[in-house]
Structure formats: structure tokens, C-alpha cells
Amino acid sequence: MLEKLMEITKNHHELFKYSIPLIASENVTSYAVRRFYLSDFGHRYAEGWIGKRFYQGCKYMDELEAFAVELTKKLFGCEHANVQPISGVTANLAAFFALTNPGDTIISVSVPDGGHISHDRFSAAGVRGLKVEHYPFDVDNMNIDVDATKRKVEKMDEKPKVFVLGASLFLFPHPVKELVEVAHEVGARVMYDGSHVLGLIAGKEFQDPIKEGADVVTASTHKTFPGPQRAVIMCKKELAKKIDHGVFPGVVSNHHIHSLAGYAMACIEMLEFGRDYARQIVRNAKALAEELYNLGYNVLCPHLEFTKSHQVAVDVSDFGGGDYVAKKLESCGIILNKNLLPWDDVKNADNPSGIRIGVQEVTRLGMKEDEMREIARFIDMALKDKKPIKDIKNEIKEFKSNFLTVKYTFEECPAYEFPKVV
């Protein structure tokens, strides 16, 4: 049985070692971050708040959590931070607990327009018992239509209690300042889900939702932010008690202290390397999008230079749809995901029009604009059957063999080696 478990794990490492990882919601951590996963913190509970735990033995866990809060405030310039949520959805649910009551209405981006499932009635918002309205969406510019939103809110008998911003397909900054004005006019709060772009926010390469007036910012910490899989909530000081109570006892008990230590280490890395890393991510996304466009692909928003984030969206209807394309590319060693686009029916989620590409992980491996153009050519070879799949896979394996080291960290390390515990 042990041999089977080792085999599965090693095979997984080999898969990613010789593939091009382009999932927009994933990243690879440094050894500096991973080291903390193996600490004794992983055996312990720290239920409660700093200095007010329900168990003994939490002295250094208190110190760690306080340090993680301090680092978060320094990195993002927020008034208050809660570092206990263990996932992005958990953070969103905690914020809904803090800001709403069951039966309240919120307004968010629909899933076909790029919204995250947790912002909709069939996920976290529904668990809280919220009614969900959707923003009018400007499909050409892949963003929220502010003027149409103003008109919609004016006509609503029951005004939204929360305006949810941020998305899962997130190409451009959202109009935070403009919608803060609309929200505050009707007594609503603005919640910004920065999960996908947290690393870009930290690196000053996207937008700063806190400075633009968002009341609450939630985010997972493992997408453009190269930390472990957990989350953070930042908010205005006046909401601190509500947010903290929404987290504990609302949706979190023990909050996985070992990965919290890893998050603190990732914050330290981003304070040192975040600007260079975030800048290269955006440059890479633009280069990949432009090359795909030049090769004849229907890349969204060419008039806006395709993207200002880590993501590229492509309509691949002419190549069999998102599901077919994602599976074909996977067979060649290119890993990305199918994605609904605004003109898709949610009922067709199994094979939507689009694919979503994220470049944050390959950027962490040291790839730059020239490599993005090479990746575009690999995609083109696969989708236009220019070479047999086996040949493309071998070329990708050779290409990837030059990019197996984690960069933008204090001590470069192998990205996909299965670590040995001595």
C-alpha cells in the first residue's frame, strides 16, 4: 500500500515536471514556504483568537499569527487583517456572515461573465441564504458596466447590502471607485474578492482595492500570490470585530497553523521580490496573448491589449470548444482549463466556448516573453495538428527541462522534486 501511495505521488510530480502548467488558480511554492508544512505547527490547534485560545500550548502560535497579521498589513496597507480562513470560499463565506443577514440581496458578476461560484446563489452566497443579482456586463471590454449598474440599482425595490467585486475570469481591474460611490449611496458595503490577483496587488501591478475604497478584501493565497492554499481577509477597522466573528466561530475552528507559517514566509518573499515577479507576470500574459492572436486565435479584448492580469481568455469554438481543446492540450503536456465566456449558456458548462490561461506559475519558473511565444506555438501546433501529439509532447518535455527551478525567492530550489524527509 505504501508503494502504491508513493507511486501515485511521484507520478503526479513527474506530470507537472514535464508539462507546461497554465492553470490560472495554481502556483508552485518555494522550499522556504514548504519547509513550514513539516513543522510541529501541523499537529496543533489554535482555536480562538490571539491571546484568547481554548487550548494551552499556543504561545508561539499566537506569536506566529500576530506576525502574519503584521506582514499582511505591511504588504497591503490594510487597517485590519484576519489570516485564519483556510480557503478563498471560506473567506467569502465569513465575509457574507459579517456583512449580511439571511434574505439580504447582494450583487455580483455572473459565472458566465467570469464571476466565482462562491459569489452566486448555488454556493457560499446561497449557503448564507442570500438573494443574488448580477451586474450588467460590458462583454466587449470584459468588465462591469457602471452606468447600467447605477440604473439597475436605482430601479431595485430591495437594494443590495453588498456589492461583490473580483472574479474568476479576471482580465482587467474592476471599477472599484465608481461602484463604491454607488454602493455607499444605498448604504451597502463593497467586498472585493482578490483571490486571483492578490500577488499582482502585492506587487503593485494591478489595482489597489483598499485604496480605491473597498470595505472588505478577501483572497486566497496560492494563485498569483505564491503561498500555501489558504486565505486572508482585510477590512476597514470599523468592520474588524464583525469580520473576526464571521471567521471564528463562524466558519473556522482550527486554522491549519503549519500553512499559516508558510503564508508568512510567502509574504516575506513578496515584500522582497513581489514587484519584479508581478511585473513579469503581466508582461508574460500580454506576450502570450499577442502571439496567440497573431497566430489567428480569437483572444478576447485585443483593443485593450488583451489583459492586465495573469490571465488570457480565448474563444476556441472553432476548434471544438473549451472541453475538447483543454483535453487535447493536456494530452500534449499543456495544462489549462475550459472556461465559460459571457455568451455561453451556463447549462453548457461541460463544453463552453473558452479556455482560460494563467502564466503565474511558468513566470515563477523564470520564463519570460520569448518563452510565452514558444508556448503559443506549442498550442498552435497541437490545435492545428501540425505535428503528432507524441512529438509535441517530447518537444514540450525538452523545453520544460530548462525551467524546473523556483525563482523570486531567497534560495532557488527545484519546483517539482518529491522531497525526502530525513
Side-chain angles (χ1 to χ4, degrees):
M1 289 186 286
L2 173 59
E3 289 79 8
K4 180 66 174 177
L5 180 58
M6 290 293 292
E7 180 187 4
I8 291 169
T9 305
K10 287 183 177 179
N11 286 344
H12 173 79
H13 280 253
E14 288 291 305
L15 170 65
F16 277 87
K17 184 174 183 178
Y18 295 116
S19 299
I20 299 174
L22 299 173
I23 299 290
S25 54
E26 297 177 353
N27 212 323
V28 60
T29 57
S30 66
Y31 274 15
V33 171
R34 293 183 219 182
R35 188 175 293 129
F36 291 100
Y37 292 171
L38 302 179
S39 74
D40 188 70
F41 284 132
H43 304 143
R44 309 302 167 192
Y45 262 55
E47 191 177 76
W49 301 280
I50 297 170
K52 297 180 180 179
R53 305 296 187 186
F54 289 84
Y55 302 129
Q56 304 312 119
C58 294
K59 172 181 170 60
Y60 297 109
M61 289 183 272
D62 280 354
E63 288 187 15
L64 170 61
E65 187 173 337
F67 183 47
V69 168
E70 176 189 330
L71 289 168
T72 304
K73 289 182 176 181
K74 183 175 182 179
L75 189 55
F76 296 102
C78 57
E79 294 179 359
H80 179 75
N82 188 300
V83 296
Q84 292 190 2
I86 57 174
S87 74
V89 171
T90 303
N92 287 342
L93 189 54
F96 290 146
F97 267 76
L99 300 175
T100 67
N101 293 307
D104 285 346
T105 297
I106 65 170
I107 186 166
S108 63
V109 178
S110 74
V111 170
D113 290 337
H116 192 259
I117 56 171
S118 63
H119 306 163
D120 221 321
R121 61 181 62 89
F122 45 79
S123 184
V127 169
R128 181 56 172 157
L130 302 175
K131 302 171 188 174
V132 180
E133 292 286 338
H134 295 132
Y135 292 110
F137 201 74
D138 180 349
V139 173
D140 291 336
N141 294 310
M142 285 300 289
N143 217 323
I144 298 164
D145 186 325
V146 174
D147 291 335
T149 297
K150 288 179 181 177
R151 293 192 294 270
K152 177 170 182 169
V153 172
E154 286 172 0
K155 293 177 182 178
M156 291 173 65
D157 293 328
E158 186 177 337
K159 307 299 183 188
K161 290 292 178 67
V162 178
F163 283 55
V164 181
L165 301 174
S168 184
L169 180 59
F170 203 0
L171 301 178
F172 303 103
H174 279 174
V176 177
K177 288 181 180 178
E178 296 86 346
L179 290 173
V180 164
E181 291 181 11
V182 178
H184 289 180
E185 282 179 8
V186 296
R189 296 288 188 177
V190 174
M191 168 184 157
Y192 182 104
D193 185 343
S195 293
H196 268 276
V197 293
L198 187 66
L200 303 182
I201 294 170
K204 316 302 180 190
E205 279 294 319
F206 199 63
Q207 65 185 143
D208 188 333
I210 294 169
K211 285 186 178 177
E212 292 179 30
D215 298 290
V216 174
V217 174
T218 62
S220 55
T221 56
H222 54 269
K223 297 180 171 78
T224 52
F225 195 91
Q229 294 195 13
R230 55 181 304 116
V232 63
I233 305 178
M234 298 170 277
C235 69
K236 294 179 177 178
K237 195 175 293 183
E238 66 201 62
L239 292 171
K241 288 185 178 179
K242 285 186 176 181
I243 289 294
D244 288 349
H245 192 266
V247 175
F248 177 84
V251 295
V252 170
S253 174
N254 179 48
H255 53 285
H256 302 183
I257 310 301
H258 61 305
S259 62
L260 177 60
Y263 165 73
M265 184 65 236
C267 285
I268 294 170
E269 288 181 334
M270 289 299 284
L271 284 165
E272 182 71 22
F273 305 103
R275 292 203 177 201
D276 289 342
Y277 179 47
R279 188 181 302 117
Q280 191 61 52
I281 287 172
V282 176
R283 287 174 177 171
N284 282 354
K286 287 180 180 294
L288 177 60
E290 183 177 19
E291 187 67 17
L292 285 170
Y293 182 78
N294 290 339
L295 288 167
Y297 291 88
N298 186 10
V299 186
L300 272 57
C301 299
H303 63 295
L304 297 175
E305 298 182 328
F306 307 106
T307 184
K308 288 188 178 180
S309 76
H310 62 302
Q311 296 185 8
V312 176
V314 188
D315 185 337
V316 290
S317 301
D318 293 342
F319 294 90
D323 184 62
Y324 173 81
V325 164
K327 288 176 178 175
K328 185 170 186 179
L329 292 176
E330 183 183 26
S331 71
C332 298
I334 299 170
I335 300 175
L336 46 72
N337 67 278
K338 63 185 177 184
N339 214 91
L340 288 164
L341 297 177
W343 42 88
D344 286 326
D345 188 331
V346 109
K347 295 177 182 176
N348 191 37
D350 288 343
N351 191 28
S353 299
I355 56 172
R356 183 185 66 173
I357 305 171
V359 301
Q360 68 290 340
E361 184 169 343
V362 291
T363 304
R364 193 97 203 271
L365 301 175
M367 295 189 195
K368 295 189 176 178
E369 290 91 333
D370 285 347
E371 286 74 38
M372 297 304 106
R373 288 184 273 272
E374 189 69 17
I375 289 171
R377 289 191 284 272
F378 284 134
I379 292 172
D380 188 55
M381 280 194 289
L383 296 187
K384 293 179 183 174
D385 297 317
K386 292 183 175 181
K387 289 185 178 181
I389 288 175
K390 182 180 179 181
D391 292 347
I392 298 171
K393 191 167 187 176
N394 286 335
E395 285 191 34
I396 286 174
K397 185 174 181 179
E398 182 179 355
F399 167 80
K400 183 68 180 302
S401 66
N402 297 307
F403 299 96
L404 298 175
T405 302
V406 176
K407 310 289 186 178
Y408 304 99
T409 182
F410 294 99
E411 184 179 350
E412 294 183 3
C413 60
Y416 305 107
E417 294 300 316
F418 184 38
K420 295 179 181 178
V421 180
V422 181

